[in-house]
Amino acid sequence: MDSLNGFVVFVQVAETRSFVAAGRLLGVSASAVGKSVARLEEKLGVRLFHRSTRNITLTAEGTLFLERCRRILAEIEAAELDLQANGTPRGRLRVSLPLVSSLVLPVLSEFMHTYPEIELDLDFTDQIVNVIEEGFDAVVRTGKPHDSRLTARRLGAFRSLLVASPDYLARQGTPQVPADLLRHRCLHYRFPHSGKLEPWALRLAPGEPPLQLPTAMICNNIETRVCFALQGLGIAYLPDFSIRDLLAGGRLQPILVDYVERTGVFHVLWPASKHPSPKVRVLVDFLCERVFPGS
């Protein structure tokens, strides 16, 4: 049990990068935290942290040990919860999500009502995160999963569309082929992590060079492009799930449908385990049932 307590202290220090903050969370002094880490290092025969007057960082051995400790503690938590009489999922659930908040916010709101004893810690970013090393319980991302340490379930598929308001198309005309976009106002997305503009995946004629599209506006979220398109300010390239109601109501109209080629798939991923914790299991099931219902 002393080793187990040492694991708990070590994980708290690794996550907070501070003996003081870890002690505050654990209800003990910073001195007690430091002694616990020192005992663990002595027992293992390795240094787990680089210490300086300014900060604490993990060594290579510490990074490897952190991954194992998190797995061990997660297994213990899952076993404890499975054996409880009521089996109610509870505890902190750290989840990384893409910036497309409109996709998941209604579902997560319903999840909080359904599981009030789960504390959601949500991180919205389009940057790639290291699920295990950064301590996430689950992440939602597009693309094909590649990390063998993670388990994945498919949430659903989407496609991108070019859309504009009826008012804009009445004033500026409706593009008939991709090259017509060169005479239109285009509302673009910039990737926060690279600073590059999102390419518009268009089917071009053989030998036709890539289009250098005009940039009437650039931003790094979906909501701004939807708003500006609704205001008749230009053409936007958007995932279909973000504008379904607007398309159904006729407030936005798709254009060049036969020329837009991009499709994508969302997955929810979590650290591989024979016995994932109840809180992770219910989150995964909840997202898979509701984010893309019927998908």
Side-chain angles (χ1 to χ4, degrees):
M1 291 304 294
D2 184 61
S3 293
L4 182 58
N5 290 333
F7 294 171
V8 173
V9 172
F10 165 69
V11 170
Q12 287 291 359
V13 174
E15 291 183 346
T16 61
R17 297 293 195 269
S18 166
F19 287 174
V20 174
R24 188 180 301 117
L25 291 170
L26 295 168
V28 298
S29 67
S31 175
V33 170
K35 290 178 181 178
S36 177
V37 171
R39 286 195 300 271
L40 186 59
E41 289 179 325
E42 183 178 359
K43 182 176 181 179
L44 297 172
V46 298
R47 181 176 290 275
L48 298 172
F49 295 103
H50 296 297
R51 302 165 175 83
S52 72
T53 55
R54 291 189 174 184
N55 55 31
I56 299 172
T57 58
L58 286 164
T59 62
E61 295 81 2
T63 300
L64 177 62
F65 191 58
L66 177 61
E67 178 181 333
R68 298 292 182 87
C69 284
R70 281 176 170 151
R71 289 187 182 182
I72 291 168
L73 296 177
E75 291 287 345
I76 292 172
E77 180 188 16
E80 289 177 343
L81 291 173
D82 280 341
L83 292 173
Q84 289 175 355
N86 58 12
T88 302
R90 58 169 56 86
R92 180 168 172 259
L93 192 58
R94 190 161 185 245
V95 186
S96 177
L97 300 151
L99 291 173
V100 288
S101 55
S102 59
L103 175 67
V104 293
L105 285 185
V107 174
L108 291 176
S109 175
E110 185 182 354
F111 180 81
M112 289 186 68
H113 283 294
T114 306
Y115 298 100
E117 294 190 49
I118 292 180
E119 172 196 341
L120 286 181
D121 182 349
L122 306 178
D123 179 71
F124 287 90
T125 178
D126 277 339
Q127 297 190 29
I128 297 174
V129 300
N130 190 310
V131 179
I132 294 174
E133 291 182 5
E134 296 183 44
F136 287 103
D137 295 294
V139 301
V140 173
R141 286 294 184 272
T142 60
K144 186 178 180 180
H146 295 289
D147 194 333
S148 61
R149 300 174 302 169
L150 303 178
T151 302
R153 273 181 64 183
R154 185 179 185 273
L155 288 182
F158 69 94
R159 64 172 300 188
S160 295
L161 298 173
L162 284 174
V163 297
S165 70
D167 172 67
Y168 175 86
L169 297 175
R171 288 184 286 109
Q172 303 295 334
T174 300
Q176 300 301 312
V177 295
D180 291 344
L181 294 170
L182 298 175
R183 299 188 295 273
H184 283 266
R185 297 172 59 83
C186 299
L187 311 174
H188 288 271
Y189 173 78
R190 174 181 282 131
F191 293 109
H193 60 283
S194 68
K196 295 181 179 179
L197 297 186
E198 178 186 28
W200 291 12
L202 300 168
R203 180 171 55 82
L204 303 176
E208 185 178 359
L211 300 178
Q212 300 299 315
L213 297 173
T215 53
M217 188 278 298
I218 302 171
C219 68
N220 64 355
N221 62 32
I222 285 179
E223 290 78 9
T224 300
R225 286 175 288 153
V226 172
C227 176
F228 282 21
L230 284 171
Q231 296 298 318
L233 295 172
I235 296 171
Y237 182 71
L238 294 163
D240 57 2
F241 59 78
S242 68
I243 50 175
R244 286 195 183 105
D245 292 343
L246 297 173
L247 291 171
R251 299 183 64 193
L252 289 176
Q253 293 183 3
I255 60 174
L256 297 176
V257 175
D258 294 335
Y259 294 92
V260 181
E261 297 187 322
R262 181 177 180 241
T263 60
V265 177
F266 277 104
H267 289 90
V268 56
L269 306 98
W270 65 97
S273 171
K274 291 182 179 178
H275 304 288
S277 67
K279 63 186 179 184
V280 171
R281 290 202 303 265
V282 296
L283 175 72
V284 170
D285 289 342
F286 209 88
L287 292 176
C288 289
E289 292 168 2
R290 291 168 172 80
V291 172
F292 289 96
S295 178

